Amino acid sequence: MLAGHKLNTILDIVKTSSKEELAWINGYLSGILAGEKGPEILEKPALQKKKITIAFGTETGNSKSVATTFAAKAKSRGIIPKLVSLDQYRLSDLPKEENFLAIISTHGDGEPPEAAKKFYDHIHLNGFTIPKMNYGVLALGDTAYPLFCKAGEDVDQQFQKLGAKRIVPLQKCDVDYEEPAQIWFDQFLQSFDDLTPVHVQEPGIIKKSAGKKTYDGVLLAKTVLNGRGSSKQTFHLEIAAEELDYQPGDAIGIIPENNESIVDEILSQVQANAQQTLVFKNETSTIYELLRSRLNISCLPERIIKQYAAIIDQPVNEIRIALLDLLKTYPMPQPQKFIELVQILEPIAPRLYSISSSPSAHEGEVHITVANDKFFYKEEQRSGLCSEFLSRLPVDTDLKFYVQKNNSFRLPAEDKDVIMIGPGTGIAPFRSLVAEREATGSTGRNWLFFGDHHFTTDFLYQTEWQNWFSTGVLTNISLAFSRDQQEKNYVQHKIIERAAEFFEWIENGAFLYVCGAKQPMSVDVEQTILKVIAEQGKFTVADAEQYLNNLKEEGRYCKDVY
Amino acid sequence: MSDSSNLSPIEKIKTSSHGLRGTLKESLQDEITGAVREDDHALVKFHGMYEQDDRDLRSERAEAKLDKLYSFMVRLRIPGGAITPQQWIAANHIAGDYSTGVIKITTRQTIQLHGILKRNIKPTLQDFNKVNLDSIAACGDVNRNVACSSHPNTSPLHEMVHAYADKISRMLLPKTRAYQEVWLDEEKIAEPESEIDPLYEDRYLPRKFKIGIAIPPDNDVDVLTNDLGLIAIIENEKLIGFNIAVGGGLSTTHGNPNTYARLASVIGFVAGEENVLKAVYEILTVQRDFGNRSDRKLARLKYTFDRMGEDAFKKELESRCGFQLEAPRHFEFTDRKDKYGWQQDHKKRWHYTLFIENGRVLDSEELALKTALFRIAETGKASFRFTSNQNLILSDIDPKDKAVIENLLEEFNLNEHTKNASAIRKNAIACVAFPTCPLALAEAQRYLPALISKIEPLLAKYQLNEQDIVLRMTGCPNGCARSYAAEIGLVGTAYGHYNLHIGGDRQGLRLGDKYRENLDEESILIELDNLFGQYKACRNENETFGDFAKRVILV
Ligand code: SRM
Ligand SMILES: Cc1cc2nc3c(=O)[nH]c(=O)nc-3n(C[C@H](O)[C@H](O)[C@H](O)COP(=O)(O)OP(=O)(O)OC[C@H]3O[C@@H](n4cnc5c(N)ncnc54)[C@H](O)[C@@H]3O)c2cc1C
Ligand SMILES: Cc1cc2nc3c(=O)[nH]c(=O)nc-3n(C[C@H](O)[C@H](O)[C@H](O)COP(=O)(O)O)c2cc1C
Ligand code: SF4
């Protein structure tokens, strides 16, 4: 249909144009046909900016702070970062992800942080792939624990399984994670810049860690906080140490020793030579030394039990058991194999205790509040290793510990209100918070929810709360003693009783803190808080959940549960 | 009258208490403490309670950062000390549910429950209310539980005289309905006029006020130790009236020379119920208006009476009564001891007096006392009468029911228990003292039984074991077990130490005198050994230990 000269011009242009130019002309013409643009020349469209998702799973805030610095760095490099906490991450987005960084710590016995649980479980489901994804995993952990950075390892491997492309090796960080984290991120950025990703298969080597600062403490005082006739035994320990550095909300980590008599029994059980030396974690020490203060013999996990079954090669059906009980119930046919057994044992994991003292009020000391952790093995009542160790520890003896920071459990500005929910030993950090607020003259109001078995015997730190209440430092105190009446009465019931006031405090910007038993307390309390928000704020369930999420985001809903 | 400028703090609390309500309701809401608010501490007494704490646990709880173990002692108002078996059953259950479980029979014929936690006060008082028992005015600056000779076989007129205890008690109750409102959750009634109290006004009395009624020749109530003693005068089987005795009171304060123990002075005789009640009422108004309201240590009627002088006091009283007191009538007391075992009265009803050491009813390895009494109450065949010697009379038993009770007494060994107790033990009383009494300086009821076991051999040594010597111990000089009115009185001065008083008579007409100070157990036993020795050697025929001590030792 075109007149000959026109046709020739076009054919000429087409012949002499590159692919891109043709595409552009194509777009240009279709633009004209769509009647948008006038016939003026348009410049070449800019190249698309790169996007990256930086997702973190944190318990005590370290992974979050790392992720945040990464995001800032990325921006400055012209990359568009999406910073998200794994509990906020929309799982259905995974297959669409092109560039994905996971920064995740390990908690419990090699488990992911509470907030990363949903994500962690999701990627362990099969039946979907994420081939588009280029990823890298940074694992935070602590070599003091048997399963170092386990959660990070798992995420890294699962991503591979799901078909994602690893563009930087997995980096496992010990407690001094900042530096290795930065190096790792720079490495990532390189491979990210040039468009053909480097394929590094072997996992990143653990950077030798300078370790954490251990304090040489001395036990100053120890008292039982429960009155006569109580079924409970809660110890208040005061520990002195030099150059202490902690904040309210932090915990201390203690590595307990095993009970001497049990070690002796084990040794005689297997007729082992206590003085024989072995290499453990590239240090040589005697078997006695190892059993006494290095190796976990009080509660072997299933993974160790399996290995033991292999050694004595006969089935052992236990999920967790103390070494001595194991040796008694499933004796070793050849005692010389004991060395083999010792080699597979894991280090004693540290136990954490929320600090119940305040740096400003109790200078040079940390206080902790330790419940004697009783349990039954068959019909026999026993106590947990560390709580028993501490309960036996004489005053004036040395006690090593380290400070476990908790950046996601911090006091707000001094004029902000605080609601503290801490039944049982959950009260520990709140003694610290309130003592700190008193010492620093904070003006914000303080409301404590506490509960335990009986008013007369189990009101932990009663006289101190009374003083704080009478001086006005403590504005409200709501108490729930579960066994003083027929029907059980818990902190959540107290929250309901004063729902209106509770909600009004939150609306006023109060910060919410929950500390103590993860199950069932923290769950029930959270349900109750949601209920109160929904009822008082006239919200739907979904909106109430959003409301609570926002509080979390703003750091106004902090949990320290165990 | 004391000028209002230096009124004791308690006076202010009373007058500003809105009829003894204070902030009691708020106090009950305070979750953080087991105690009531400071001012309410004084007010709960008017409701028959004392705030206490377990003194044994003080230091260990302080160490544990726990507050004192606060609890409340509830003292019932039981005029003349008689209750029904149903009421005893209730008390038994309430003690088990809310208190230490021990039922304590007091030296004023009522019962106390200890260790009641704040949150359990209401249930306790509400459960008592269900069986028509209350604790109104059992403590505080009001008329206390009215005591009356306990044994029905004292006289055919016992019932008639005994009825006075209840009449007087009711006549002298405060008019405020605070008790019903605060503890029984009853509605606040509209018209406050109903609470206008012509007797107590809004200031109540300057101090506690005690009334006792005796039916000679029995003086088991120790009538002359009361602020007001009424001595029944019976002439040819008729109750013609009462001798009026005023100004009794035993308490002293160590190192305060202005305080003293005193027996009441018989100031006259009044005939006819109406006048007797009038006289009683006006004696309270005189004390209300003339009593010392600035120094509580000198506020009891005995001090008012001595300050005014007998004549002035009598004049004031007579002008308020509108009639003259007649000259006192002759009367005679023979003794104060309980008549243990079975006794029959003029109506042929049976009564069994049971020995209860220091009035403490509980089950022990040796004796299932509490269970036994519960079982006896369940038969519904015996009513319960408490004596001023902290014992119990299972009374008003129909002859045909005697066997039932007898069998239970045998089944639980109570008869044996009463029979086998030595004379000195059966005539002894001790106050509560540790661990609940905040004023205790030394042990009493927890210690006296053991001490007696060491005194018994001394008496045996001189073949004096049959003697009904009256021995009384108190943990401090307040004299709750009337230790000043005893033949041997031990008055606590410091932990493990006692003053020894001797020379009181057996009938309760003469107080003893302080003979030795601050004795520990060893010295007490040495002193008694030597006193018993002299008594054995030099007493006149039938001379009591008290009379001997007065005649020979104290001169
Ligand atoms: C239970 C009882 C002793 C007993 O073992 O039976 C008793 C127990 C107490 N007496 Fe008493 N008194 C008891 C009969 C007496 C008697 C004897 C009597 O009344 O026949 C006296 C001496 C007579 C007199 O009143 O002078 C007596 C004089 C006192 C005093 C001194 C009063 C004074 O004039 O200074 C006090 C202290 C006070 O009132 O300040 C006192 C105070 C107390 C208190 C309430 C201590 C206190 O004030 O906190 C004791 C409670 C201890 C406890 O844990 O139970 N009690 N008190 C008696 C209860 C009687 C009743 O049922 O009402
Ligand atoms: C952040 C954080 C803060 C904490 N704060 C506090 C605090 O302030 N106060 C406090 O008291 N605790 C606190 N804890 C808990 C504390 O760290 C310990 O977990 C607790 O003291 C129990 O340790 P244990 O060594 O005494 O008991 P363990 O020996 O660790 O035993 C724990 C449980 O394991 C089981 N078990 C152990 N051995 C055996 C066996 N041989 N056979 C079968 N079952 C077995 C039992 O159920 C036992 O109860 C906190 C924990 C965390 C994570
Ligand atoms: C209760 C608890 C258990 C832990 N267990 C492990 C573990 O099993 N393995 C490990 O490598 N690190 C473990 N750690 C160390 C944490 O992973 C490490 O402190 C990390 O820096 C926390 O990062 P976060 O603040 O982002 O949660 C544990 C820490 C805590 C508080
Ligand atoms: S005499 Fe003293 S110690 Fe004994 S009960 Fe009375 S006040 Fe308490």
Side-chain angles (χ1 to χ4, degrees):
Chain A
M1 65 171 291
L2 275 179
H5 73 280
K6 282 188 191 161
L7 179 65
N8 293 337
T9 341
I10 295 182
L11 290 175
D12 180 45
I13 293 171
V14 172
K15 266 201 247 92
T16 57
S17 295
S18 74
K19 241 186 161 120
E20 282 85 8
E21 283 167 320
L22 284 173
W24 180 82
I25 294 167
N26 176 32
Y28 176 60
L29 292 175
S30 49
I32 293 172
L33 290 171
E36 307 150 348
K37 304 272 167 18
E40 84 284 5
I41 304 303
L42 299 180
E43 83 295 342
K44 207 174 169 209
L47 239 183
Q48 253 231 346
K49 273 196 168 183
K50 287 193 188 174
K51 291 213 182 73
I52 179 175
T53 301
I54 303 177
F56 59 88
T58 189
E59 193 76 51
T60 56
N62 298 348
S63 303
K64 183 179 183 178
S65 61
V66 170
T68 319
T69 55
F70 286 2
K73 213 170 194 176
K75 246 212 194 73
S76 64
R77 295 285 222 87
I79 305 169
I80 304 171
K82 172 163 160 254
L83 185 66
V84 58
S85 166
L86 280 175
D87 61 345
Q88 301 299 314
Y89 183 76
R90 186 144 29 89
L91 297 166
S92 53
D93 288 352
L94 262 181
K96 306 187 206 118
E97 293 285 357
E98 294 188 349
N99 304 304
F100 193 91
L101 283 193
I103 295 130
I104 183 169
S105 66
T106 301
H107 283 264
D109 185 19
E111 289 135 36
E114 192 69 14
K117 196 108 188 57
K118 269 210 338 289
F119 176 86
Y120 183 88
D121 295 344
H122 179 75
I123 60 171
H124 279 77
L125 299 170
N126 301 327
F128 71 98
T129 56
I130 46 176
K132 278 190 173 179
M133 182 194 280
N134 299 321
Y135 79 92
V137 175
L138 182 73
L140 268 59
D142 181 342
T143 43
Y145 290 89
L147 300 179
F148 177 59
C149 290
K150 179 78 164 50
E153 286 178 350
D154 294 350
V155 173
D156 183 63
Q157 281 167 20
Q158 270 315 108
F159 277 178
Q160 284 265 298
K161 282 219 188 78
L162 297 173
K165 198 170 324 114
R166 184 197 289 118
I167 59 169
V168 274
L170 166 73
Q171 174 66 63
K172 300 197 251 174
C173 307
D174 201 350
V175 287
D176 46 5
Y177 52 82
E178 286 89 350
E179 197 195 343
Q182 292 312 327
I183 297 171
W184 177 82
F185 190 59
D186 296 338
Q187 193 185 357
F188 163 79
L189 288 173
Q190 281 169 24
S191 55
F192 193 69
D193 285 346
D194 56 70
L195 285 160
T196 56
V198 288
H199 291 278
V200 198
Q201 282 319 334
E202 77 290 353
I205 14 74
I206 306 162
K207 179 177 168 300
K208 180 84 196 79
S209 149
K212 48 178 111 75
K213 177 166 174 28
T214 43
Y215 293 90
D216 299 309
V218 178
L219 182 60
L220 282 185
K222 180 171 73 182
T223 54
V224 175
L225 294 170
N226 304 87
R228 225 188 258 196
S230 173
S231 59
K232 293 213 162 176
Q233 215 187 9
T234 315
F235 293 90
H236 169 73
L237 282 78
E238 302 183 350
I239 305 157
E242 310 268 293
E243 293 150 12
L244 268 169
D245 172 23
Y246 72 91
Q247 294 177 56
D250 290 342
I252 63 169
I254 293 172
I255 298 180
E257 282 189 343
N258 292 311
N259 189 320
E260 212 164 349
S261 59
I262 289 180
V263 173
D264 295 340
E265 243 189 289
I266 291 174
L267 288 170
S268 62
Q269 175 81 21
V270 295
Q271 299 129 36
N273 166 10
Q275 295 316 318
Q276 182 178 348
T277 56
L278 281 178
V279 178
F280 176 76
K281 288 213 165 188
N282 41 48
E283 270 181 54
T284 37
S285 32
T286 67
I287 288 189
Y288 182 85
E289 225 290 303
L290 287 173
L291 293 178
R292 182 71 204 286
S293 45
R294 305 291 303 280
L295 298 175
N296 167 17
I297 57 172
S298 70
C299 184
L300 308 184
E302 205 165 3
R303 54 180 181 272
I304 302 294
I305 299 175
K306 286 218 185 75
Q307 297 180 58
Y308 178 75
I311 294 176
I312 63 171
D313 104 83
Q314 58 160 287
V316 177
N317 39 23
E318 302 279 349
I319 32 161
R320 53 183 185 178
I321 186 169
L323 179 57
L324 184 55
D325 301 319
L326 183 67
L327 291 169
K328 281 181 177 165
T329 0
Y330 307 89
M332 299 192 106
Q334 318 103 306
Q336 69 277 18
K337 283 200 164 186
F338 182 64
I339 304 304
E340 236 178 287
L341 170 57
V342 173
Q343 251 121 8
I344 62 161
L345 292 178
E346 296 173 340
I348 300 171
R351 300 331 197 241
L352 295 181
Y353 296 95
S354 313
I355 296 174
S356 53
S357 55
S358 123
S360 313
H362 311 97
E363 235 197 306
E365 299 177 14
V366 274
H367 300 172
I368 54 175
T369 312
V370 180
N372 186 348
D373 183 280
K374 300 199 187 96
F375 66 93
F376 278 90
Y377 174 74
K378 307 225 164 93
E379 269 66 56
E380 178 193 345
Q381 199 198 48
R382 298 191 181 173
S383 290
L385 177 64
C386 193
S387 47
E388 214 260 341
F389 163 76
L390 291 173
S391 71
R392 272 189 292 110
L393 198 69
V395 169
D396 293 332
T397 42
D398 299 348
L399 177 61
K400 286 194 182 331
F401 66 90
Y402 64 90
V403 171
Q404 173 75 41
K405 294 248 160 250
N406 187 346
N407 297 318
S408 54
F409 204 87
R410 292 283 179 248
L411 272 170
E414 63 95 26
D415 61 338
K416 291 271 180 271
D417 296 343
V418 164
I419 298 178
M420 300 162 283
I421 304 165
T425 52
I427 198 158
F430 301 135
R431 178 176 181 258
S432 170
L433 260 59
V434 173
E436 183 71 12
R437 291 201 113 192
E438 181 190 39
T440 57
S442 301
T443 56
R445 298 178 299 169
N446 302 300
W447 186 351
L448 175 74
F449 286 84
F450 173 73
D452 211 312
H453 282 182
H454 297 289
F455 169 79
T456 51
T457 55
D458 308 321
F459 189 169
L460 306 181
Y461 302 106
Q462 178 182 22
T463 49
E464 295 185 1
W465 297 115
Q466 287 177 328
N467 294 337
W468 281 322
F469 189 71
S470 58
T471 56
V473 175
L474 191 61
T475 320
N476 288 346
I477 179 162
S478 300
L479 300 165
F481 292 98
S482 56
R483 311 201 176 174
D484 281 344
Q485 62 285 311
Q486 249 56 8
E487 64 294 342
K488 290 256 192 283
N489 179 13
Y490 298 114
V491 279
Q492 57 266 32
H493 300 111
K494 286 295 178 173
I495 295 174
I496 294 287
E497 267 177 35
R498 300 178 71 169
E501 199 179 350
F502 189 88
F503 185 67
E504 179 231 299
W505 275 54
I506 300 178
E507 286 281 276
N508 261 309
F511 281 59
L512 267 174
Y513 297 84
V514 179
C515 182
K518 185 177 279 165
Q519 286 288 356
M521 187 278 290
S522 69
V523 179
D524 297 345
V525 164
E526 184 156 312
Q527 285 316 310
T528 307
I529 294 173
L530 281 167
K531 192 158 170 285
V532 169
I533 293 172
E535 286 172 10
Q536 297 295 319
K538 313 258 180 304
F539 290 120
T540 65
V541 174
D543 293 350
E545 274 165 4
Q546 190 48 51
Y547 187 106
L548 192 61
N549 269 334
N550 298 343
L551 290 184
K552 248 195 227 136
E553 288 295 283
E554 299 161 35
R556 282 175 54 199
Y557 175 46
C558 314
K559 283 191 283 183
D560 184 17
V561 296
Y562 42 87
Chain B
M1 262 183 282
S2 54
D3 67 292
S4 60
S5 63
N6 58 349
L7 287 179
S8 85
I10 304 286
E11 291 301 316
K12 176 93 180 55
I13 295 174
K14 287 186 278 186
T15 49
S16 53
S17 70
H18 312 290
L20 305 179
R21 288 172 180 83
T23 53
L24 284 170
K25 284 190 168 172
E26 291 76 2
S27 278
L28 292 179
Q29 298 303 319
D30 296 339
E31 292 180 318
I32 197 172
T33 170
V36 294
R37 298 180 184 184
E38 206 177 351
D39 286 3
D40 293 339
H41 189 282
L43 290 179
V44 286
K45 297 185 183 180
F46 291 79
H47 298 266
M49 276 168 270
Y50 288 84
E51 180 180 292
Q52 307 181 316
D53 76 286
D54 189 328
R55 295 179 63 182
D56 291 347
L57 301 183
R58 273 183 197 176
S59 55
E60 84 181 39
R61 284 181 67 90
E63 171 83 347
K65 302 178 185 290
L66 285 166
D67 197 0
K68 290 179 185 163
L69 183 47
Y70 286 107
S71 69
F72 293 77
M73 175 269 278
V74 167
R75 179 185 290 167
L76 295 182
R77 181 182 66 90
I78 307 177
I83 63 173
T84 65
Q86 294 70 28
Q87 288 173 320
W88 177 266
I89 289 171
N92 180 91
H93 290 317
I94 295 165
D97 293 347
Y98 306 121
S99 84
T100 58
V102 178
I103 300 176
K104 161 78 180 185
I105 302 170
T106 75
T107 56
R108 292 192 70 78
Q109 295 182 300
T110 183
I111 54 175
Q112 286 182 175
L113 302 185
H114 290 89
I116 298 167
L117 299 176
K118 189 167 72 174
R119 65 168 184 278
N120 289 332
I121 298 175
K122 273 180 156 194
T124 300
L125 297 185
Q126 291 179 1
D127 286 3
F128 273 127
N129 187 58
K130 290 189 191 116
V131 291
N132 306 316
L133 285 171
D134 64 67
S135 63
I136 302 171
C139 322
D141 298 342
V142 285
N143 170 58
R144 298 293 189 87
N145 197 47
V146 180
C148 178
S149 283
S150 52
H151 209 297
N153 88 335
T154 308
S155 152
L157 297 175
H158 177 268
E159 206 167 342
M160 175 185 281
V161 177
H162 194 269
Y164 273 83
D166 190 55
K167 283 184 195 133
I168 291 171
S169 179
R170 276 190 279 107
M171 171 177 74
L172 301 177
L173 276 179
K175 295 277 180 290
T176 171
R177 292 186 75 262
Y179 184 92
Q180 290 77 356
E181 273 172 35
V182 176
W183 311 111
L184 308 182
D185 295 329
E186 286 180 18
E187 286 307 309
K188 203 176 198 324
I189 42 168
E191 70 290 354
E193 303 77 50
S194 65
E195 290 205 347
I196 290 167
D197 197 325
L199 171 60
Y200 294 120
E201 298 169 352
D202 64 352
R203 35 185 197 147
Y204 301 88
L205 296 179
R207 201 70 163 84
K208 60 173 62 164
F209 193 94
K210 297 177 173 178
I211 299 176
I213 306 171
I215 306 175
D218 272 6
N219 188 25
D220 56 331
V221 291
D222 242 321
V223 70
L224 298 183
T225 63
N226 290 272
D227 295 84
L228 167 55
L230 297 174
I231 301 157
I233 302 300
I234 296 169
E235 285 175 5
N236 36 37
E237 281 89 55
K238 291 230 165 333
L239 174 69
I240 61 167
F242 293 86
N243 277 351
I244 307 284
V246 296
L250 296 181
S251 163
T252 68
T253 305
H254 287 312
N256 182 341
N258 304 327
T259 63
Y260 48 82
R262 187 187 193 285
L263 288 181
S265 319
V266 179
I267 61 170
F269 169 84
V270 177
E273 176 171 334
E274 190 181 330
N275 284 359
V276 170
L277 294 179
K278 178 74 175 163
V280 167
Y281 186 94
E282 295 302 347
I283 288 169
L284 266 79
T285 65
V286 174
Q287 163 66 351
R288 177 196 68 205
D289 300 338
F290 290 81
N292 179 335
R293 289 183 186 261
S294 49
D295 182 353
R296 292 182 63 83
K297 294 228 168 288
L298 304 176
R300 293 288 293 274
L301 179 65
K302 62 185 174 183
Y303 301 112
T304 316
F305 182 76
D306 286 345
R307 202 174 64 251
M308 293 173 81
E310 177 165 344
D311 298 345
F313 183 90
K314 233 168 122 174
K315 252 232 217 65
E316 182 63 36
L317 176 62
E318 286 169 337
S319 72
R320 291 179 181 225
C321 290
F323 58 77
Q324 305 282 309
L325 302 187
E326 298 170 32
R329 303 298 164 89
H330 172 76
F331 67 95
E332 206 170 325
F333 287 137
T334 54
D335 61 26
R336 293 178 288 175
K337 76 163 188 248
D338 286 333
K339 307 171 192 150
Y340 291 106
W342 288 107
Q343 303 276 341
Q344 199 166 24
D345 65 24
H346 58 289
K347 286 190 188 162
K348 299 280 170 285
R349 292 173 313 178
W350 287 96
H351 311 271
Y352 183 89
T353 305
L354 177 65
F355 168 56
I356 296 179
E357 194 156 32
N358 305 323
R360 305 189 74 232
V361 176
L362 69 160
D363 286 341
S364 67
E365 285 81 25
E366 309 78 55
L367 199 69
L369 179 58
K370 197 175 168 201
T371 310
L373 294 181
F374 181 69
R375 290 276 302 284
I376 288 170
E378 278 185 322
T379 68
K381 299 186 185 317
S383 55
F384 287 57
R385 295 176 186 269
F386 309 119
T387 79
S388 294
N389 292 312
Q390 304 173 317
N391 294 310
L392 173 66
I393 307 174
L394 300 165
S395 64
D396 315 292
I397 300 163
D398 191 291
K400 70 171 165 34
D401 300 329
K402 182 170 181 248
V404 182
I405 306 302
E406 213 156 18
N407 293 338
L408 284 165
L409 290 173
E410 293 306 328
E411 179 187 339
F412 287 93
N413 261 314
L414 298 191
N415 203 12
E416 285 306 296
H417 164 75
T418 299
K419 278 220 204 72
N420 299 347
S422 68
I424 185 89
R425 204 177 282 277
K426 274 195 245 182
N427 290 297
I429 54 180
C431 71
V432 178
F434 284 96
T436 51
C437 179
L439 309 175
L441 303 171
E443 295 280 355
Q445 75 181 13
R446 286 203 297 200
Y447 168 57
L448 185 61
L451 180 64
I452 287 179
S453 301
K454 293 173 179 162
I455 295 174
E456 282 163 342
L458 300 180
L459 289 163
K461 181 166 149 194
Y462 303 103
Q463 301 88 39
L464 295 171
N465 14 14
E466 297 306 311
Q467 293 283 322
D468 283 317
I469 300 172
V470 175
L471 163 65
R472 294 171 173 184
M473 170 182 275
T474 56
C476 88
N478 283 327
C480 296
R482 298 185 293 270
S483 40
Y484 302 100
E487 296 178 77
I488 302 173
L490 290 165
V491 178
T493 54
Y495 205 83
H497 293 74
Y498 302 81
N499 287 349
L500 173 59
H501 292 240
I502 56 173
D505 67 348
R506 193 153 290 176
Q507 307 86 326
L509 299 168
R510 184 185 68 235
L511 295 177
D513 298 329
K514 195 196 300 166
Y515 171 61
R516 293 280 189 269
E517 290 193 331
N518 286 317
L519 303 181
D520 60 10
E521 182 179 87
E522 193 186 2
S523 338
I524 290 171
L525 294 173
I526 293 168
E527 290 292 346
L528 290 180
D529 186 352
N530 140 356
L531 287 170
F532 293 156
Q534 298 184 58
Y535 173 53
K536 171 75 175 179
C538 329
R539 65 175 167 171
N540 299 332
E541 207 185 2
N542 317 337
E543 188 176 33
T544 63
F545 176 76
D547 293 346
F548 168 80
K550 186 74 184 172
R551 179 176 64 86
V552 180
I553 312 290
L554 294 168
V555 288

